[in-house]
Amino acid sequence: MSIPLAGIPIEDVSKDLCAPCSPGALIDRDEVEALTAQLKAMADQTRLQIIHLIDQSPAGELCVCDLTESLDLAQPTVSRHLKILATAGLLQREQRGTWAWFSIRWDALQQLRGRAFPRAVEGSPC
C-alpha cells in the first residue's frame, strides 16, 4: 500500500484482479470486410427503422409504398436505403408488379450475430 500526496492510501489490487485468458483468433480479413458492410448497412437511423417496421408488420413484409408513408420520406430515399440493406444481404426483395416488397432475412441476421459475436451465441465467458 502506498500513500500519495493527498494522504489517501492507495491499495494496489491489480495483481489480484487480472486472470488472462486467450484472446482467440483474429477474424479473417475477408470476413471482417463482409461483417463491416453488414454492420454499416444497419448503422443508420432510417435503416434501423425500416428493419423494425418490417419486423412489426403482420405479414413480415412491407411494400416500398408502406415504408414511404410510415417514414414520411420520398420513395427514392426509401428505395436507396432498401437497396443498401438488400445488397448487404439483410433484406429479401420480391418484385410484384410495379412494387417491390421486402422481408427480413433472419438467417442472415443470425449469421451476422454468430460471426460478429460468437461468444454471445456460444455462451462461454472466456
Side-chain angles (χ1 to χ4, degrees), residues 59-110:
E61 63 182 4
L62 287 176
C63 174
V64 174
C65 63
D66 296 325
L67 291 165
T68 56
E69 185 177 320
S70 296
L71 295 167
D72 195 27
L73 294 172
Q75 184 270 328
T77 303
V78 173
S79 290
R80 181 178 55 85
H81 286 294
L82 288 166
K83 182 177 181 179
I84 291 168
L85 288 166
T87 301
L90 302 172
L91 292 183
Q92 180 175 323
R93 181 183 190 275
E94 182 183 334
Q95 191 71 34
R96 297 182 196 161
T98 58
W99 293 102
W101 290 75
F102 291 85
S103 58
I104 297 171
R105 291 198 50 225
W106 293 108
D107 61 323
L109 287 178
Q110 289 291 79

Side-chain angles (χ1 to χ4, degrees), residues 5-123:
L5 295 176
I8 301 171
I10 297 176
E11 185 177 349
D12 182 13
V13 293
S14 62
K15 295 178 282 187
D16 300 330
L17 294 179
C18 185
C21 56
S22 173
L26 289 174
I27 301 173
D28 174 85
R29 181 174 295 276
D30 292 336
E31 182 77 5
V32 168
E33 288 178 14
L35 288 171
T36 302
Q38 287 184 316
L39 291 169
K40 281 183 178 180
M42 292 183 63
D44 178 89
Q45 293 175 357
T46 301
R47 292 192 284 272
L48 282 175
Q49 289 286 11
I50 288 170
I51 290 173
H52 178 76
L53 287 168
I54 293 171
D55 178 48
Q56 296 300 307
S57 71
E61 63 182 4
L62 287 176
C63 174
V64 174
C65 63
D66 296 325
L67 291 165
T68 56
E69 185 177 320
S70 296
L71 295 167
D72 195 27
L73 294 172
Q75 184 270 328
T77 303
V78 173
S79 290
R80 181 178 55 85
H81 286 294
L82 288 166
K83 182 177 181 179
I84 291 168
L85 288 166
T87 301
L90 302 172
L91 292 183
Q92 180 175 323
R93 181 183 190 275
E94 182 183 334
Q95 191 71 34
R96 297 182 196 161
T98 58
W99 293 102
W101 290 75
F102 291 85
S103 58
I104 297 171
R105 291 198 50 225
W106 293 108
D107 61 323
L109 287 178
Q110 289 291 79
Q111 288 174 4
L112 172 62
R113 178 180 179 223
R115 290 186 341 247
F117 310 104
R119 282 183 52 197
V121 175
E122 297 167 6

